[in-house]
Amino acid sequence: FALDRQIGIALYKSGIRRIRPPKQHGTMASETTSLVSKSEDEHLKRLKAYQWWAFFVTFGGYFMAHFSRKCYSTVKQQLQDEAGYSSLILSAMDTTFMATYAVGNIVSGKLGDTLNPTTVLAIGLFGSGTCLFLINVSLWFDFVGFSEQLGNFFILAVYFMFGFFQSTGGPVGTAVMGNWFCDKNSVKNRGLIFGLWTCHQYCGDITAALCTAWVLGMGLTYWWALLIPALTNLGWGFLTMRLVADPADVGIITDEVRIRMVKLETARANLKEGETIEDEGPTPISYSAAIRIPMVAQYAVAFGFFKLTNYVLFFWLPYFLGKNFDPVTANLIAACYSVGMMPGGIIVGFVSDMFGGRRASVIGVFMTCLIIFLSVFAVCSETLHPVALLVMLCIMGILVGGPNNIITSAVAADLASHPSVRGSNKSLGTVTGLINGTGSITASIGLLAVGPLQETFGWGSVWVFLIGCTACGTLLMTPKIYDELFPKAEDDGTEMESTNV
């Protein structure tokens, strides 16, 4: 009875269902078993051959998300001056988007693990393009001029849906990347690979600014800056539909499949007469099971504190610098922060790979350095020379951008490879969505404190507030940092290098 119970538990965790057909005996060969005959080298060769295409398509999908998202913000002034939308409505659009985007990350990650990830990504692109097109329709037919209430309600409703569609790129794209970059060499260089991949957001933001500058510089109507990303999102959606989301879908055997096959064969060896086993593949992980994976909850909350620091610097730096510089100079200096964020993920990923996947330790060092820089800002930010500001903000961009980019990509992939779920569950999309969604919610709430703090106590209090947030996030990672620096005696390090958990 005890042995039978253990087999049942193993089958349940493996996504394998034991059935008792009335007229069948022995074991039934599954599709998975038939794939074993191919050599590992052949499977690896096919896997590596498709990786560049998976990287390209998912990179482009998230690029399109930021391209369409940023284009809206570049024409805010025209939406107010020419379309007639009030600043209150534009602010409400931002709030609506952040709320639905945060919740959407959690939902989209789960959908990506439950349904076909390619379908979810394509729906996100089609939906984003359609939302931007509908905004153009409201501008072409002057909904606000016809009825202010109608125009305001329509654009808020569209942007409500836009946030959900935009949320698919991060968690689901990360899951697809994790599916394909799963060989030993890719896992060893996971930090660098995902560090390069996360440059998509900055490439999208820069392209949006250039696109809007080109549209306005050519004398075209400003709504072209919204129509162009709408059309490119729709086009990339059709390209994404041809993406293969999982190597197993085309018969490529990976380590995950081999682990499941071992569990399947173990179960078959203990079958009773008349029983058969059907290989149903890995089952999607539940939210509660994802939270129970070691360090997922801590990383989710810590990421919220780190993302809050990023949001405050990104949204408030031009305003803060505008107190001592003209608007053009203030924006140019603030742009150095964004420039520094792009290589940040690459640097953190590469360095953490060098140290055997000890990403928490590297992130802890980066955050400690950031606290030092924020302390300098708290004391003398308003008296620093412009050159010193340029250098400091560029370095701060690296210190903030690196951990933020890696936590929602390489670290999430590490967590989803934990032995408790490896080979048994689809978990990467759900884990990434939980971390990103929880972080966005925490950051959005924290942003509400910035205005009252700077008005009541001055900007020094804002920098102290960010120091506290950064310190809290780093402290949440202390158990993982300790485990990385002082691994257990019985652990020979193989697990850390292979799974980074």
Side-chain angles (χ1 to χ4, degrees), residues 24-283:
Q24 291 185 1
H25 299 278
T27 60
M28 180 174 57
S30 67
E31 179 181 350
T32 302
T33 305
S34 65
L35 296 173
V36 184
S37 57
K38 295 188 177 181
S39 67
E40 291 188 14
D41 289 342
E42 181 184 348
H43 289 300
L44 180 61
K45 183 178 179 180
R46 293 177 59 199
L47 181 75
K48 302 296 275 186
Y50 198 83
Q51 284 179 346
W52 72 271
W53 181 249
F55 187 103
F56 174 72
V57 175
T58 53
F59 183 99
Y62 214 169
F63 168 92
M64 291 299 169
H66 279 266
F67 179 32
S68 55
R69 194 182 310 171
K70 186 67 175 178
C71 271
Y72 151 73
S73 66
T74 61
V75 295
K76 272 187 176 180
Q77 193 64 50
Q78 288 77 9
L79 288 173
Q80 184 174 4
D81 296 341
E82 300 183 35
Y85 291 101
S86 66
S87 58
L88 180 62
I89 290 298
L90 295 177
S91 177
M93 288 174 66
D94 291 336
T95 303
T96 300
F97 174 84
M98 291 183 68
T100 55
Y101 178 77
V103 176
N105 265 279
I106 300 175
V107 176
S108 296
K110 178 64 173 174
L111 289 176
D113 285 340
T114 305
L115 307 176
N116 186 344
T118 296
T119 302
V120 178
L121 287 173
I123 290 175
L125 289 164
F126 288 139
S128 296
T130 302
C131 286
L132 288 180
F133 184 79
L134 289 175
I135 291 177
N136 272 282
V137 170
S138 71
L139 298 175
W140 295 336
F141 293 94
D142 192 17
F143 282 16
V144 174
F146 178 75
S147 171
E148 185 175 356
Q149 288 184 334
L150 171 64
N152 292 341
F153 174 79
F154 183 83
I155 201 168
L156 285 176
V158 169
Y159 232 64
F160 178 89
M161 295 303 301
F162 187 60
F164 282 115
F165 289 126
Q166 286 276 294
S167 68
T168 60
V172 185
T174 301
V176 174
M177 281 288 292
N179 289 341
W180 281 101
F181 289 85
C182 59
D183 58 285
K184 292 180 179 179
N185 187 59
S186 296
V187 171
K188 183 179 179 181
N189 297 286
R190 179 178 279 166
L192 177 60
I193 293 171
F194 277 98
L196 290 168
W197 185 72
T198 53
C199 289
H200 44 46
Q201 51 190 310
Y202 309 110
C203 293
D205 292 343
I206 293 170
T207 303
L210 294 175
C211 176
T212 301
W214 177 79
V215 167
L216 299 179
M218 292 292 291
L220 300 175
T221 310
Y222 72 93
W223 49 255
W224 276 101
L226 299 174
L227 183 60
I228 291 174
L231 297 176
T232 55
N233 269 259
L234 292 172
W236 205 267
F238 285 106
L239 181 64
T240 301
M241 290 178 65
R242 300 181 61 85
L243 175 69
V244 178
D246 194 316
D249 294 339
V250 288
I252 299 176
I253 297 296
T254 62
D255 289 342
E256 291 289 318
V257 176
R258 290 189 183 95
I259 292 172
R260 192 170 80 247
M261 289 169 58
V262 169
K263 294 181 178 180
L264 177 63
E265 294 304 320
T266 301
R268 281 176 172 166
N270 294 280
L271 283 177
K272 296 179 179 179
E273 184 178 354
E275 293 183 340
T276 63
I277 292 178
E278 180 182 343
D279 182 7
E280 298 180 333
T283 56

